[in-house]
Amino acid sequence: MLINSGASLTLIKSNLFHLPYYIRQSARYPSSKFQIHLADKSCLYVQKSLLLPITIANRTKKHIVYVVPKLWRPCIIGNDFIQRHNLQIDGGHQRIYFKELVVKNPITPNLDPIREKEEEYVLLASERIKIPSYHAVNIQVQPDKEVVSTEEEPSEYEVTTIKLTPCVANGVIKPQKSMNVQVANLTKKTIIIHPGQALASMTRLNEAQSNVLHQIEKTQQEGTSSNRE
């Protein structure tokens, strides 16, 4: 693993490991036009993007990574990961660690709205539903607290399953009045989802991640249009 503050995005080599199905199903596949430009003006082609758990200094963080077939290192931790998770690089002592924010007054009625947006929300089931063995259904959910936004356009959030059973399809969502997620039962027995049950976490994407996802969607639309022509 290479930690490179000069790299904008976090990358992994495509043959690094075999991913379980519940992670692979959340993959986004860009068109062949999507590329990452390097400092030497060469290009890397992105195979897909995934939300993966990454462990550094005995701490595990979930982050969107970009899978590259011909990467010269198994994994490159980029500046998007460093900034989002407040990873500290101590060159003098040859160590890395996550710096925790110290809040002098954790309970205060006047919360900073920008900081509030960075917090993690929990998506709770809004209905009771049975899921048969090896089936997936769409379930209406709601966040455990009000999502604060100062922007006209709703921000995009990462959705990450909390448990393997029930397993929520990882992906990206925009908070709105009515939200649905896909929940799978990967066991041999029928399971029941109850109202108020915690199903997934929802964390706001940083600017770099959001821009890349928009570029992927744009290239996909351009590829679809060119195929029709």
Side-chain angles (χ1 to χ4, degrees):
M1 179 185 293
L2 172 67
I3 298 177
N4 183 4
S5 60
S8 300
L9 302 173
T10 297
L11 311 174
I12 64 169
K13 199 171 183 178
S14 58
N15 61 351
L16 182 59
F17 49 76
H18 297 288
L19 299 173
Y21 173 73
Y22 75 92
I23 291 181
R24 285 188 284 111
Q25 69 177 353
S26 68
R28 288 192 171 205
Y29 295 87
S31 73
S32 58
K33 296 180 182 179
F34 180 71
Q35 303 172 8
I36 295 177
H37 296 274
L38 306 179
D40 61 0
K41 297 184 179 180
S42 61
C43 296
L44 290 177
Y45 291 93
V46 175
Q47 197 175 59
K48 54 191 169 185
S49 62
L50 291 166
L51 183 64
L52 292 181
I54 299 176
T55 301
I56 298 176
N58 296 321
R59 297 284 300 277
T60 300
K61 304 288 185 179
K62 290 178 179 177
H63 194 78
I64 289 182
V65 301
Y66 301 88
V67 182
V68 178
K70 296 181 180 179
L71 194 64
W72 57 93
R73 290 292 185 100
C75 178
I76 296 178
I77 301 298
N79 199 43
D80 60 334
F81 183 96
I82 294 171
Q83 290 190 357
R84 180 175 183 80
H85 302 291
N86 206 12
L87 182 65
Q88 305 296 304
I89 304 172
D90 186 348
H93 295 87
Q94 293 293 303
R95 69 188 185 103
I96 53 176
Y97 61 95
F98 292 99
K99 184 178 180 181
E100 301 295 341
L101 294 175
V102 178
V103 183
K104 294 183 179 179
N105 299 311
I107 302 176
T108 172
N110 298 318
L111 293 176
D112 182 356
I114 296 179
R115 183 174 180 178
E116 180 74 12
K117 287 194 299 180
E118 296 288 349
E119 291 184 353
E120 185 176 274
Y121 300 84
V122 177
L123 294 179
L124 309 175
S126 300
E127 55 186 324
R128 182 183 186 275
I129 189 169
K130 287 185 178 181
I131 307 179
S133 173
Y134 299 112
H135 278 69
V137 298
N138 289 325
I139 296 180
Q140 188 171 2
V141 294
Q142 60 185 3
D144 61 334
K145 54 191 173 185
E146 182 182 359
V147 179
V148 179
S149 177
T150 58
E151 303 169 358
E152 294 183 4
E153 181 71 18
S155 300
E156 293 179 319
Y157 287 74
E158 300 172 358
V159 174
T160 310
T161 189
I162 293 177
K163 297 181 178 180
L164 294 182
T165 303
C167 179
V168 176
N170 297 337
V172 177
I173 194 172
K174 286 187 178 181
Q176 50 190 322
K177 197 168 185 180
S178 178
M179 294 190 293
N180 291 274
V181 295
Q182 187 181 72
V183 181
N185 175 13
L186 305 179
T187 69
K188 296 180 180 180
K189 298 181 179 180
T190 297
I191 62 174
I192 300 177
I193 304 298
H194 298 277
Q197 182 174 338
L199 298 176
S201 62
M202 185 178 77
T203 310
R204 191 171 74 93
L205 292 173
N206 61 35
E207 186 176 353
Q209 292 171 317
S210 183
N211 289 340
V212 169
L213 290 178
H214 288 162
Q215 188 174 351
I216 291 175
E217 291 174 356
K218 183 179 179 181
T219 54
Q220 286 177 332
Q221 291 172 359
E222 291 175 352
T224 302
S225 299
S226 61
N227 290 336
R228 289 177 180 175
E229 294 175 359

